[in-house]
Amino acid sequence: MTLATKSYNPFDYLETTEEINEYLNNAYMDDDPRVFLVALGYLARKQGMSEVARKAGLNRESLYKALAGEGNPRFSTVSRVIKALGCRLAVA
């Protein structure tokens, strides 16, 4: 018997800004930095990858690659994406 599965995007179930911030904070605290990049990718797709790329001054294809969790984007790229998403990175 084959088990049918569907793709899961956690941002489909996060409603409020507080829930999204909590998810991003938890992703950032993970020992694997790719978890945070993938979380940013989910948020960027939810807001529209083309629009986020435009706001960040990046090529859409490059943005997909940077946020796939496979690449190793520069901090400046991640910072531009965070700002384009309307988020702030804070160190506490």
Side-chain angles (χ1 to χ4, degrees):
M1 180 174 173
T2 305
L3 180 63
T5 61
K6 294 192 257 180
S7 61
Y8 173 75
N9 183 346
F11 281 98
D12 290 341
Y13 304 96
L14 301 176
E15 301 288 327
T16 66
T17 302
E18 291 80 19
E19 290 173 339
I20 291 171
N21 287 336
E22 183 70 22
Y23 181 81
L24 286 175
N25 280 326
N26 287 333
Y28 181 75
M29 295 305 292
D30 195 278
D31 290 335
D32 186 351
R34 293 177 296 184
V35 172
F36 182 66
L37 294 175
V38 170
L40 283 177
Y42 282 137
L43 183 56
R45 281 189 281 291
K46 183 173 182 171
Q47 290 191 12
M49 195 66 91
S50 295
E51 181 65 17
V52 172
R54 185 188 64 75
K55 287 179 181 178
L58 299 168
N59 171 310
R60 185 175 57 86
E61 290 79 17
S62 298
L63 185 59
Y64 272 110
K65 187 175 178 179
L67 300 180
E70 308 273 328
N72 190 15
R74 295 188 322 209
F75 181 76
S76 61
T77 300
V78 174
S79 178
R80 289 163 65 182
V81 171
I82 290 170
K83 288 178 185 175
L85 291 170
C87 299
R88 287 188 355 202
L89 182 62
V91 179

